[in-house]
Amino acid sequence: MNCLITFLITLITFTNAIFIPFNNSPNDQIEITNKSITSISSINDTNSLINAAAKQPFPEWLKSFTGLNKWPGINPPYIPLDFIDFNKIPNIPLRPAGTCPVIRTQCSFDCFKCVSHDDVYTCPKLSQTFDDGPSKFTLNLLKNLKSKSTFFTLGLNVVKYPEIYNEIKSRGHLLGSHTWSHKFLPSLTNEEIIAQFEWSIWAMNATGNHLPKWYRPPYGGIDDRVRSIARMFGMQAVLWDHDSFDWQMESSPPQRTKKQILNDINRWKDQGRGIILEHDVYKSTTDLGIEINKIISSDQMTVAQCVDGVDYVKVF
Ligand SMILES: [Zn+2]
């Protein structure tokens, strides 16, 4: 319970938005749709009601607060929170993954590469970030990383691999939220978005004794409705300016080769800055992450360092 009453919400909402240039192909929407299928397949070993794979004990404070006694599955229940003010959430129509508004009336990163004033999307030093873990492949990546990186974790995987989560933490890497179960947030109701954030935060708190400051929306799916809810948790969005599309090595047939990705990495290295999106859920992508780490060298930053920000909202 202590985690709930210690949230300090001091965020001021501005409406200014910055558009950054497209650096992806016109087929973004197709790629995003494909990715949703790929990523969900990595977490579908839990049913929608109970998370049987969870190893992290369900804490007493969460039992008394939620009335539950187990971690949820891919559809976590909405638990009301007294610091969430629904009046601060803009009324933006829901939209399914892979669809975009016809005109740019919303600051959407997945549709328009639009970022808001407090979104982090680049870094003074070229730096790797890893999404969708922890996984059984994360450990080997950790053993070989020579720099401090940022890992955006799924709550479902945090409670499934709590010891790997804490290994990431003990090696000095930064942990952020990638939501509870990788849903496309703009397609969810306000309550469902809150559930995705709150359960992810509770998993991180129960496992790592901290509350995340940084989150990455799955598929880059974000608009001002998602941002307004995340800000009430004290969190800021982290996007990217360099997408490795490493997961496309796992598509069938593969849509991307290691050579193509390494060519991009060397080009980005010449530019000398930016945030690279990678994934620590496959052997192929974690092996490649190790190679990329050797190419870029250890001179990298966590996303908190990129913007001279704090690591966590609170550490217990
Ligand atoms: Zn993801």
Side-chain angles (χ1 to χ4, degrees), residues 129-133 150-154 176-178 214-216 238:
T129 62
F130 298 93
D131 286 12
D132 295 5
T150 309
F151 290 78
F152 292 98
T153 56
L154 291 173
S177 168
H178 197 41
W214 311 101
Y215 75 101
R216 178 171 278 155
V238 179

Side-chain angles (χ1 to χ4, degrees), residues 64-133:
S64 58
F65 185 70
T66 63
L68 303 175
N69 57 15
K70 282 192 174 75
W71 294 106
I74 59 170
N75 294 312
Y78 162 65
I79 308 291
L81 299 170
D82 57 10
F83 59 84
I84 297 289
D85 181 355
F86 279 76
N87 294 319
K88 288 185 181 166
I89 304 173
N91 188 13
I92 293 175
L94 312 197
R95 62 182 168 92
T99 63
C100 288
V102 179
I103 48 172
R104 292 190 178 201
T105 51
Q106 300 159 24
C107 184
S108 151
F109 183 77
D110 54 303
C111 290
F112 308 129
K113 293 290 177 284
C114 176
V115 292
S116 190
H117 66 98
D118 57 349
D119 293 353
V120 178
Y121 64 91
T122 191
C123 185
K125 293 181 178 175
L126 185 61
S127 299
Q128 295 171 270
T129 62
F130 298 93
D131 286 12
D132 295 5

